[in-house]
Amino acid sequence: MDFTQLSLYDQAILLFAALILFTSFIMLAQPRIVPLIHAFAWQGVLLAVTTTLVAYATDHPHLYISAGMTFALKALLIPWMLHRLAVRLKIHRDIEAVTYPSLTLLAGASLVVFSYYVAIPIVQLSALVARNAIAISIAIILLGMLMMITRKKAISQVVGFMSIENGLFFAAVVSTYGMPMVVELGVAFDVLVAAILFGVFFFQMRESIDSLDVDRLNRLREGDE
Protein backbone atom coordinates (compact mmCIF):
# COMPACT_ATOMS: atom_id res chain seq x y z
CA MET A 1 0.00 0.00 0.00
CA ASP A 2 1.30 3.44 -0.94
CA PHE A 3 1.71 5.96 1.86
CA THR A 4 -0.25 8.53 -0.15
CA GLN A 5 -3.23 6.17 -0.24
CA LEU A 6 -3.63 6.43 3.50
CA SER A 7 -6.26 8.70 4.96
CA LEU A 8 -5.30 11.97 6.60
CA TYR A 9 -5.87 10.51 10.07
CA ASP A 10 -3.68 7.46 9.32
CA GLN A 11 -0.89 9.73 8.09
CA ALA A 12 -1.28 11.82 11.26
CA ILE A 13 -1.03 8.67 13.40
CA LEU A 14 2.24 7.73 11.66
CA LEU A 15 3.54 11.30 12.10
CA PHE A 16 2.86 11.25 15.84
CA ALA A 17 4.34 7.73 16.07
CA ALA A 18 7.55 9.12 14.56
CA LEU A 19 7.49 11.98 17.09
CA ILE A 20 7.08 9.48 19.96
CA LEU A 21 10.11 7.60 18.63
CA PHE A 22 12.00 10.92 18.42
CA THR A 23 11.32 11.61 22.11
CA SER A 24 12.88 8.21 22.91
CA PHE A 25 16.07 9.35 21.18
CA ILE A 26 15.94 12.67 23.08
CA MET A 27 15.71 10.77 26.38
CA LEU A 28 18.52 8.45 25.31
CA ALA A 29 20.83 11.41 24.61
CA GLN A 30 19.72 13.79 27.41
CA PRO A 31 22.23 13.91 30.31
CA ARG A 32 20.27 16.40 32.48
CA ILE A 33 17.66 14.98 34.85
CA VAL A 34 14.92 17.63 34.55
CA PRO A 35 14.96 17.88 30.70
CA LEU A 36 14.91 14.07 30.69
CA ILE A 37 11.70 14.10 32.76
CA HIS A 38 10.24 16.79 30.48
CA ALA A 39 11.00 14.63 27.41
CA PHE A 40 9.18 11.74 29.10
CA ALA A 41 6.20 14.03 29.75
CA TRP A 42 6.12 15.08 26.08
CA GLN A 43 6.19 11.42 25.08
CA GLY A 44 3.09 10.96 27.26
CA VAL A 45 1.39 13.95 25.56
CA LEU A 46 2.14 12.56 22.09
CA LEU A 47 0.94 9.12 23.16
CA ALA A 48 -2.35 10.61 24.38
CA VAL A 49 -2.82 12.56 21.12
CA THR A 50 -2.10 9.43 19.05
CA THR A 51 -4.59 7.43 21.10
CA THR A 52 -7.22 10.13 20.51
CA LEU A 53 -6.56 10.02 16.75
CA VAL A 54 -6.86 6.22 16.72
CA ALA A 55 -10.12 6.49 18.68
CA TYR A 56 -11.56 8.94 16.14
CA ALA A 57 -10.24 7.15 13.02
CA THR A 58 -11.42 3.69 14.13
CA ASP A 59 -14.56 4.74 16.01
CA HIS A 60 -13.55 3.10 19.30
CA PRO A 61 -14.96 5.46 21.99
CA HIS A 62 -13.30 3.64 24.90
CA LEU A 63 -9.92 4.81 23.57
CA TYR A 64 -10.89 8.38 24.52
CA ILE A 65 -10.84 7.23 28.15
CA SER A 66 -7.45 5.59 27.57
CA ALA A 67 -6.17 8.84 26.05
CA GLY A 68 -7.41 10.82 29.05
CA MET A 69 -5.81 8.38 31.50
CA THR A 70 -2.55 8.45 29.53
CA PHE A 71 -2.46 12.25 29.56
CA ALA A 72 -3.29 12.51 33.26
CA LEU A 73 -0.90 9.77 34.34
CA LYS A 74 2.06 9.84 31.93
CA ALA A 75 2.07 13.49 30.87
CA LEU A 76 1.17 15.13 34.19
CA LEU A 77 1.16 13.03 37.37
CA ILE A 78 4.23 10.76 36.99
CA PRO A 79 6.48 13.50 35.48
CA TRP A 80 5.37 15.83 38.32
CA MET A 81 6.22 13.15 40.89
CA LEU A 82 9.63 12.51 39.30
CA HIS A 83 10.37 16.24 39.10
CA ARG A 84 9.37 16.71 42.75
CA LEU A 85 11.59 13.78 43.76
CA ALA A 86 14.51 15.24 41.81
CA VAL A 87 14.10 18.59 43.60
CA ARG A 88 13.74 17.02 47.07
CA LEU A 89 16.79 14.80 46.43
CA LYS A 90 18.65 17.88 45.10
CA ILE A 91 19.62 16.18 41.85
CA HIS A 92 17.56 18.41 39.55
CA ARG A 93 20.69 20.30 38.46
CA ASP A 94 22.82 17.17 38.06
CA ILE A 95 24.33 16.22 34.72
CA GLU A 96 24.67 12.48 34.24
CA ALA A 97 27.76 11.35 32.35
CA VAL A 98 26.60 9.27 29.39
CA THR A 99 29.24 6.73 28.39
CA TYR A 100 30.09 6.89 24.68
CA PRO A 101 27.04 9.07 23.69
CA SER A 102 27.72 8.80 19.95
CA LEU A 103 27.93 5.01 20.11
CA THR A 104 24.79 4.92 22.23
CA LEU A 105 22.83 6.89 19.61
CA LEU A 106 24.28 4.73 16.84
CA ALA A 107 23.17 1.63 18.75
CA GLY A 108 19.72 3.23 19.08
CA ALA A 109 19.52 3.79 15.31
CA SER A 110 20.57 0.17 14.75
CA LEU A 111 17.78 -0.98 17.06
CA VAL A 112 15.25 0.97 14.97
CA VAL A 113 16.46 -0.82 11.81
CA PHE A 114 16.33 -4.13 13.68
CA SER A 115 12.75 -3.37 14.77
CA TYR A 116 11.63 -2.89 11.16
CA TYR A 117 13.38 -6.16 10.27
CA VAL A 118 11.53 -7.97 13.06
CA ALA A 119 8.23 -6.47 11.84
CA ILE A 120 8.71 -7.75 8.26
CA PRO A 121 6.54 -10.89 8.80
CA ILE A 122 3.66 -8.57 9.69
CA VAL A 123 3.87 -6.87 6.28
CA GLN A 124 1.64 -9.41 4.55
CA LEU A 125 -0.82 -9.52 7.46
CA SER A 126 -1.57 -5.90 8.25
CA ALA A 127 -2.15 -2.47 6.83
CA LEU A 128 0.66 0.02 6.43
CA VAL A 129 -0.29 1.96 9.57
CA ALA A 130 -0.16 -1.05 11.90
CA ARG A 131 2.99 -2.36 10.23
CA ASN A 132 4.97 0.83 10.80
CA ALA A 133 3.41 1.45 14.19
CA ILE A 134 4.38 -2.01 15.47
CA ALA A 135 7.95 -1.51 14.24
CA ILE A 136 8.07 1.86 16.01
CA SER A 137 6.60 0.42 19.22
CA ILE A 138 9.27 -2.35 19.21
CA ALA A 139 11.91 0.33 18.67
CA ILE A 140 10.56 2.39 21.62
CA ILE A 141 10.71 -0.71 23.86
CA LEU A 142 14.28 -1.54 22.79
CA LEU A 143 15.41 2.10 23.21
CA GLY A 144 13.96 2.08 26.73
CA MET A 145 15.94 -1.09 27.47
CA LEU A 146 19.08 0.48 26.01
CA MET A 147 18.57 3.52 28.23
CA MET A 148 18.27 1.31 31.33
CA ILE A 149 21.51 -0.46 30.37
CA THR A 150 23.59 2.61 29.56
CA ARG A 151 22.50 4.88 32.46
CA LYS A 152 23.85 4.71 36.00
CA LYS A 153 21.40 7.01 37.82
CA ALA A 154 18.41 5.18 39.24
CA ILE A 155 15.95 7.93 38.21
CA SER A 156 17.13 7.69 34.56
CA GLN A 157 16.62 3.94 34.63
CA VAL A 158 13.08 4.45 35.97
CA VAL A 159 12.33 6.82 33.07
CA GLY A 160 13.66 4.13 30.70
CA PHE A 161 11.38 1.58 32.36
CA MET A 162 8.37 3.88 31.97
CA SER A 163 9.31 4.42 28.30
CA ILE A 164 9.19 0.64 27.77
CA GLU A 165 5.65 0.65 29.16
CA ASN A 166 4.79 3.49 26.73
CA GLY A 167 6.00 1.32 23.83
CA LEU A 168 3.86 -1.61 24.96
CA PHE A 169 0.81 0.65 25.36
CA PHE A 170 1.37 2.19 21.92
CA ALA A 171 1.56 -1.28 20.31
CA ALA A 172 -1.69 -2.31 22.02
CA VAL A 173 -3.51 0.87 20.93
CA VAL A 174 -2.46 0.84 17.27
CA SER A 175 -2.50 -2.90 16.52
CA THR A 176 -5.51 -4.07 18.57
CA TYR A 177 -7.27 -0.72 19.24
CA GLY A 178 -6.61 -0.97 22.95
CA MET A 179 -6.92 -3.53 25.69
CA PRO A 180 -10.12 -4.14 27.67
CA MET A 181 -10.81 -1.23 30.00
CA VAL A 182 -10.37 -3.38 33.12
CA VAL A 183 -6.88 -4.37 31.94
CA GLU A 184 -5.98 -0.76 31.09
CA LEU A 185 -7.15 0.44 34.52
CA GLY A 186 -5.09 -2.31 36.14
CA VAL A 187 -1.98 -1.42 34.15
CA ALA A 188 -2.42 2.31 34.88
CA PHE A 189 -2.77 1.57 38.61
CA ASP A 190 0.33 -0.67 38.51
CA VAL A 191 2.37 2.05 36.80
CA LEU A 192 1.25 4.62 39.38
CA VAL A 193 2.10 2.29 42.30
CA ALA A 194 5.48 1.50 40.68
CA ALA A 195 6.25 5.24 40.43
CA ILE A 196 5.43 5.70 44.14
CA LEU A 197 7.55 2.67 45.13
CA PHE A 198 10.44 3.94 43.02
CA GLY A 199 10.23 7.23 44.93
CA VAL A 200 10.49 5.42 48.27
CA PHE A 201 13.40 3.40 46.85
CA PHE A 202 15.20 6.60 45.81
CA PHE A 203 15.02 8.02 49.35
CA GLN A 204 16.17 4.73 50.91
CA MET A 205 19.03 4.47 48.43
CA ARG A 206 20.07 8.07 49.02
CA GLU A 207 19.95 7.58 52.79
CA SER A 208 21.99 4.34 52.62
CA ILE A 209 24.78 5.20 50.17
CA ASP A 210 24.29 8.98 49.72
CA SER A 211 23.92 8.56 45.97
CA LEU A 212 21.50 7.36 43.26
CA ASP A 213 24.28 5.75 41.25
CA VAL A 214 23.46 2.05 40.86
CA ASP A 215 27.15 1.25 40.22
CA ARG A 216 27.81 2.04 43.88
CA LEU A 217 25.27 -0.61 44.84
CA ASN A 218 27.13 -3.12 42.66
CA ARG A 219 30.43 -2.21 44.29
CA LEU A 220 28.90 -2.65 47.74
CA ARG A 221 27.62 -6.09 46.75
CA GLU A 222 31.05 -7.09 45.38
CA GLY A 223 32.63 -5.83 48.61
CA ASP A 224 30.28 -8.01 50.68
CA GLU A 225 31.33 -11.05 48.64
Tab-separated table of all heavy atoms in Angstrom, residues 20 42-54 63-64 66-72 75 169:
chain	number	residue	atom	x	y	z
A	20	ILE	N	6.887	10.259	18.724
A	20	ILE	CA	7.077	9.478	19.959
A	20	ILE	C	8.444	8.806	19.937
A	20	ILE	O	9.172	8.792	20.930
A	20	ILE	CB	5.941	8.441	20.114
A	20	ILE	CG1	4.607	9.140	20.355
A	20	ILE	CG2	6.246	7.495	21.277
A	20	ILE	CD1	3.414	8.206	20.330
A	42	TRP	N	6.551	14.825	27.464
A	42	TRP	CA	6.123	15.077	26.078
A	42	TRP	C	5.787	13.779	25.356
A	42	TRP	O	4.883	13.736	24.513
A	42	TRP	CB	7.205	15.847	25.329
A	42	TRP	CG	7.122	17.324	25.557
A	42	TRP	CD1	7.985	18.104	26.259
A	42	TRP	CD2	6.085	18.204	25.083
A	42	TRP	NE1	7.565	19.406	26.268
A	42	TRP	CE2	6.405	19.492	25.552
A	42	TRP	CE3	4.941	18.014	24.330
A	42	TRP	CZ2	5.600	20.591	25.274
A	42	TRP	CZ3	4.128	19.110	24.051
A	42	TRP	CH2	4.459	20.383	24.523
A	43	GLN	N	6.535	12.709	25.683
A	43	GLN	CA	6.193	11.415	25.078
A	43	GLN	C	4.787	10.981	25.513
A	43	GLN	O	4.019	10.426	24.718
A	43	GLN	CB	7.214	10.347	25.481
A	43	GLN	CG	7.026	9.032	24.747
A	43	GLN	CD	8.119	8.029	25.065
A	43	GLN	OE1	8.246	7.565	26.189
A	43	GLN	NE2	8.912	7.679	24.063
A	44	GLY	N	4.439	11.255	26.787
A	44	GLY	CA	3.088	10.961	27.259
A	44	GLY	C	2.032	11.788	26.545
A	44	GLY	O	0.958	11.288	26.201
A	45	VAL	N	2.338	13.081	26.289
A	45	VAL	CA	1.394	13.949	25.564
A	45	VAL	C	1.160	13.405	24.152
A	45	VAL	O	0.011	13.282	23.689
A	45	VAL	CB	1.934	15.389	25.503
A	45	VAL	CG1	1.061	16.243	24.579
A	45	VAL	CG2	1.982	16.007	26.890
A	46	LEU	N	2.258	13.076	23.458
A	46	LEU	CA	2.136	12.561	22.085
A	46	LEU	C	1.397	11.232	22.063
A	46	LEU	O	0.619	10.945	21.137
A	46	LEU	CB	3.540	12.405	21.478
A	46	LEU	CG	4.296	13.713	21.240
A	46	LEU	CD1	5.754	13.433	20.885
A	46	LEU	CD2	3.635	14.515	20.122
A	47	LEU	N	1.632	10.396	23.079
A	47	LEU	CA	0.940	9.116	23.164
A	47	LEU	C	-0.562	9.324	23.349
A	47	LEU	O	-1.383	8.625	22.736
A	47	LEU	CB	1.519	8.316	24.337
A	47	LEU	CG	1.258	6.811	24.373
A	47	LEU	CD1	1.794	6.134	23.115
A	47	LEU	CD2	1.893	6.200	25.611
A	48	ALA	N	-0.930	10.310	24.165
A	48	ALA	CA	-2.349	10.609	24.379
A	48	ALA	C	-2.996	11.145	23.100
A	48	ALA	O	-4.124	10.767	22.754
A	48	ALA	CB	-2.490	11.625	25.510
A	49	VAL	N	-2.276	12.018	22.376
A	49	VAL	CA	-2.820	12.563	21.118
A	49	VAL	C	-2.996	11.448	20.092
A	49	VAL	O	-4.030	11.376	19.392
A	49	VAL	CB	-1.875	13.655	20.567
A	49	VAL	CG1	-2.331	14.099	19.174
A	49	VAL	CG2	-1.832	14.851	21.501
A	50	THR	N	-2.004	10.553	19.998
A	50	THR	CA	-2.099	9.435	19.045
A	50	THR	C	-3.278	8.527	19.392
A	50	THR	O	-4.015	8.074	18.502
A	50	THR	CB	-0.792	8.622	19.059
A	50	THR	OG1	0.308	9.497	18.856
A	50	THR	CG2	-0.806	7.573	17.965
A	51	THR	N	-3.463	8.265	20.679
A	51	THR	CA	-4.592	7.427	21.102
A	51	THR	C	-5.919	8.083	20.734
A	51	THR	O	-6.860	7.416	20.295
A	51	THR	CB	-4.524	7.195	22.624
A	51	THR	OG1	-3.247	6.646	22.967
A	51	THR	CG2	-5.597	6.224	23.068
A	52	THR	N	-5.990	9.412	20.892
A	52	THR	CA	-7.216	10.135	20.505
A	52	THR	C	-7.473	10.023	19.005
A	52	THR	O	-8.615	9.807	18.561
A	52	THR	CB	-7.096	11.620	20.896
A	52	THR	OG1	-6.822	11.720	22.298
A	52	THR	CG2	-8.373	12.368	20.593
A	53	LEU	N	-6.408	10.148	18.199
A	53	LEU	CA	-6.557	10.017	16.747
A	53	LEU	C	-7.030	8.618	16.357
A	53	LEU	O	-7.901	8.458	15.492
A	53	LEU	CB	-5.216	10.318	16.065
A	53	LEU	CG	-4.805	11.796	16.001
A	53	LEU	CD1	-3.381	11.924	15.471
A	53	LEU	CD2	-5.766	12.568	15.100
A	54	VAL	N	-6.450	7.596	17.007
A	54	VAL	CA	-6.855	6.217	16.722
A	54	VAL	C	-8.322	6.022	17.113
A	54	VAL	O	-9.099	5.367	16.385
A	54	VAL	CB	-5.953	5.215	17.478
A	54	VAL	CG1	-6.478	3.790	17.315
A	54	VAL	CG2	-4.522	5.299	16.981
A	63	LEU	N	-11.308	4.314	23.656
A	63	LEU	CA	-9.925	4.806	23.574
A	63	LEU	C	-9.807	6.264	24.026
A	63	LEU	O	-8.715	6.711	24.382
A	63	LEU	CB	-9.394	4.659	22.143
A	63	LEU	CG	-9.033	3.230	21.720
A	63	LEU	CD1	-8.550	3.205	20.277
A	63	LEU	CD2	-7.961	2.647	22.632
A	64	TYR	N	-10.942	7.010	23.991
A	64	TYR	CA	-10.894	8.382	24.518
A	64	TYR	C	-10.581	8.363	26.015
A	64	TYR	O	-9.856	9.233	26.518
A	64	TYR	CB	-12.228	9.084	24.267
A	64	TYR	CG	-12.481	9.432	22.825
A	64	TYR	CD1	-13.520	8.854	22.119
A	64	TYR	CD2	-11.659	10.340	22.155
A	64	TYR	CE1	-13.760	9.161	20.799
A	64	TYR	CE2	-11.885	10.658	20.831
A	64	TYR	CZ	-12.929	10.062	20.153
A	64	TYR	OH	-13.151	10.366	18.830
A	66	SER	N	-8.869	5.957	27.485
A	66	SER	CA	-7.450	5.593	27.574
A	66	SER	C	-6.559	6.802	27.332
A	66	SER	O	-5.538	6.988	28.008
A	66	SER	CB	-7.132	4.503	26.543
A	66	SER	OG	-7.881	3.345	26.792
A	67	ALA	N	-6.965	7.641	26.341
A	67	ALA	CA	-6.169	8.839	26.047
A	67	ALA	C	-6.172	9.792	27.244
A	67	ALA	O	-5.129	10.367	27.594
A	67	ALA	CB	-6.734	9.537	24.815
A	68	GLY	N	-7.335	9.950	27.879
A	68	GLY	CA	-7.413	10.818	29.049
A	68	GLY	C	-6.574	10.309	30.204
A	68	GLY	O	-5.870	11.082	30.874
A	69	MET	N	-6.625	8.975	30.428
A	69	MET	CA	-5.812	8.378	31.496
A	69	MET	C	-4.327	8.531	31.192
A	69	MET	O	-3.515	8.814	32.084
A	69	MET	CB	-6.162	6.892	31.644
A	69	MET	CG	-7.527	6.626	32.236
A	69	MET	SD	-8.014	4.892	32.093
A	69	MET	CE	-6.580	4.078	32.756
A	70	THR	N	-3.958	8.331	29.921
A	70	THR	CA	-2.549	8.454	29.526
A	70	THR	C	-2.052	9.869	29.759
A	70	THR	O	-0.957	10.086	30.289
A	70	THR	CB	-2.388	8.082	28.043
A	70	THR	OG1	-2.816	6.736	27.857
A	70	THR	CG2	-0.936	8.210	27.607
A	71	PHE	N	-2.869	10.860	29.369
A	71	PHE	CA	-2.463	12.250	29.555
A	71	PHE	C	-2.331	12.597	31.041
A	71	PHE	O	-1.336	13.229	31.449
A	71	PHE	CB	-3.482	13.178	28.888
A	71	PHE	CG	-3.115	14.634	28.970
A	71	PHE	CD1	-2.135	15.162	28.145
A	71	PHE	CD2	-3.733	15.468	29.889
A	71	PHE	CE1	-1.772	16.496	28.228
A	71	PHE	CE2	-3.398	16.795	29.975
A	71	PHE	CZ	-2.403	17.312	29.142
A	72	ALA	N	-3.317	12.174	31.832
A	72	ALA	CA	-3.292	12.511	33.256
A	72	ALA	C	-2.135	11.834	33.981
A	72	ALA	O	-1.475	12.448	34.830
A	72	ALA	CB	-4.624	12.123	33.898
A	75	ALA	N	1.639	12.140	31.274
A	75	ALA	CA	2.065	13.488	30.866
A	75	ALA	C	2.070	14.468	32.023
A	75	ALA	O	2.769	15.480	31.965
A	75	ALA	CB	1.150	14.008	29.749
A	169	PHE	N	2.145	0.057	25.465
A	169	PHE	CA	0.808	0.651	25.357
A	169	PHE	C	0.530	1.111	23.926
A	169	PHE	O	-0.571	0.900	23.397
A	169	PHE	CB	0.710	1.832	26.327
A	169	PHE	CG	-0.609	2.547	26.258
A	169	PHE	CD1	-1.731	2.036	26.891
A	169	PHE	CD2	-0.732	3.736	25.553
A	169	PHE	CE1	-2.951	2.692	26.817
A	169	PHE	CE2	-1.946	4.397	25.474
A	169	PHE	CZ	-3.044	3.878	26.111
